[in-house]
Amino acid sequence: MTLLTTHNPIRPLPETTASELMRIFIDQDTDALLVGACLALLAQRVPEAHELAAFAEALAEVAVPFPPVPDSAIDVVGTGGDGASTANLSTLTALFLPALGVPVVKHGNRAATGVCGSADLMEALGYDLARASADLSQDLQTHRFAFLFAPAYHPLMGRLREIRRRLGIPTIFNLLGPLINPANPPLQLLGVAREDLLAPMAGALARRPTLRRAFVIHGKDAEGKGLDEASIEGPTTILAVADGRVQAPHVLVPRELGIVQPVRHALRVADRAEALTVARGIFAGARHPDFRPAVADAVALQAALGLALHRGGSLEGVDASFREMRSALDSGFVPPFPAAGVNP
């Protein structure tokens, strides 16, 4: 029998089978062609919450551990795969929240199918992706920020990078990345690129015993296309997770928050160099020629949601928080590490 005979993922898998399949994926002796075939089949359907949780648990079992984090630490992350080529909004938000007193332990990687991944931007800013766990843990205590480079904590997934690259489509690993932060942050702001992923991702988070609260979000752009972040162009649907339960959906509408409709493609970047320029403009504030108001709006919205999680998980007052965050961004902020080309 072959892998596709015993673990064919065309239909939902029992938890134990899903766990076994993930162990097979990361086994160096498994035929890469079979792994690619399985990933392609998985990409044809929406995974169920129990499958995602089982996949993530199997990966966590072989991950490099990270020291305990504060009970208010948050990860801000998106699944990617929306094809929007926007600026690194999750990463910029993760760099902004520490200035507001929120500890952030972000887990990220290089771009698999997009323009510039979180690790690509962090590296361009001069961040040491090889920084030791003990130093990162101290950074989190001292500066309220640590970036955990995924390959350093999930070394067995290295062989899958080339398989994913050659497939050229979002795979199950786009969904699993946000679920396998080795720091197990108790708070999480997680964006999904497709609306039908909201419930299974929220359900998977609800199964994580170390999670206290989370928002799983999905936005729509001006044309109705999906975004893995809160949108300043169209509605954003939010599923809150708390105490192991997924709550009823909540919808944010930009105009009700006072957000002005941006010009088309105002958030888009062409390459890593432009992503870096946009980031430096946000750090510098509204007086800088590279400051993009639409990007500031988007970061302020993500930050308002992150702050809501930090403060207890209520979405009441998000409009006031957005205005507060947006005003702060006009003044600029200092990243929580010595960033290249950024004046403190």
Side-chain angles (χ1 to χ4, degrees), residues 84-127:
S85 299
T86 57
N88 300 79
L89 303 180
S90 293
T91 306
L92 292 174
T93 303
L95 294 172
F96 178 43
L97 284 171
L100 308 172
V102 180
V104 175
V105 54
K106 181 163 174 57
H107 180 236
N109 207 340
R110 301 189 188 280
T113 56
V115 170
C116 181
S118 57
D120 298 317
L121 179 63
M122 293 298 294
E123 184 177 58
L125 287 168
Y127 195 86

Side-chain angles (χ1 to χ4, degrees), residues 9-28:
I10 195 67
R11 294 185 179 87
L13 302 169
E15 286 189 40
T16 54
T17 307
S19 297
E20 290 171 358
L21 181 60
M22 184 52 63
R23 294 187 186 101
I24 291 169
F25 280 167
I26 59 179
D27 187 333
Q28 305 299 306

Side-chain angles (χ1 to χ4, degrees), residues 161-305:
R161 180 172 176 80
E162 178 61 19
I163 298 172
R164 295 171 63 193
R165 189 193 67 78
R166 294 180 68 179
L167 280 175
I169 59 173
T171 70
I172 192 71
F173 288 98
N174 289 82
L175 308 184
L176 294 176
L179 301 178
I180 57 174
N181 186 327
N184 290 308
L187 306 177
Q188 189 154 357
L189 179 62
L190 194 169
V192 297
R194 289 164 30 201
E195 192 167 5
D196 58 4
L197 292 171
L198 278 165
M201 290 294 279
L205 281 178
R207 286 168 166 80
R208 196 173 83 198
T210 57
L211 184 86
R212 291 173 58 204
R213 294 185 296 277
F215 292 150
V216 183
I217 61 178
H218 171 75
K220 299 288 188 185
D221 68 10
E223 299 172 348
K225 297 177 182 176
L227 301 170
D228 70 334
E229 56 212 18
S231 178
I232 61 170
E233 299 180 10
T236 294
T237 303
I238 302 173
L239 287 185
V241 180
D243 301 321
R245 296 185 179 183
V246 180
Q247 300 174 6
H250 182 96
V251 178
L252 294 179
V253 180
R255 66 174 178 275
E256 294 177 359
L257 299 174
I259 298 175
V260 178
Q261 183 77 14
V263 298
R264 191 179 183 193
H265 301 324
L267 300 176
R268 184 166 292 187
V269 294
D271 51 30
R272 174 170 160 167
E274 187 176 3
L276 178 60
T277 297
V278 169
R280 287 173 172 160
I282 290 296
F283 299 149
R287 294 185 179 182
H288 195 277
D290 292 321
F291 181 84
R292 290 194 189 180
V295 172
D297 284 348
V299 171
L301 181 53
Q302 321 303 313
L305 292 173

Side-chain angles (χ1 to χ4, degrees), residues 10-68:
I10 195 67
R11 294 185 179 87
L13 302 169
E15 286 189 40
T16 54
T17 307
S19 297
E20 290 171 358
L21 181 60
M22 184 52 63
R23 294 187 186 101
I24 291 169
F25 280 167
I26 59 179
D27 187 333
Q28 305 299 306
D29 294 328
T30 306
D31 189 318
L33 183 61
L34 286 176
V35 174
C38 278
L39 291 177
L41 287 173
L42 270 171
Q44 301 306 306
R45 67 174 177 86
V46 178
E48 297 192 359
H50 74 269
E51 293 178 287
L52 290 167
F55 288 147
E57 185 176 356
L59 289 171
E61 289 173 356
V62 294
V64 176
F66 190 81

Side-chain angles (χ1 to χ4, degrees), residues 282-331:
I282 290 296
F283 299 149
R287 294 185 179 182
H288 195 277
D290 292 321
F291 181 84
R292 290 194 189 180
V295 172
D297 284 348
V299 171
L301 181 53
Q302 321 303 313
L305 292 173
L307 203 59
L309 280 172
H310 179 72
R311 291 173 173 172
S314 173
L315 287 166
E316 292 184 11
V318 167
D319 53 345
S321 285
F322 165 75
R323 292 191 294 272
E324 177 188 349
M325 301 300 97
R326 186 60 181 81
S327 177
L329 286 171
D330 273 346
S331 301

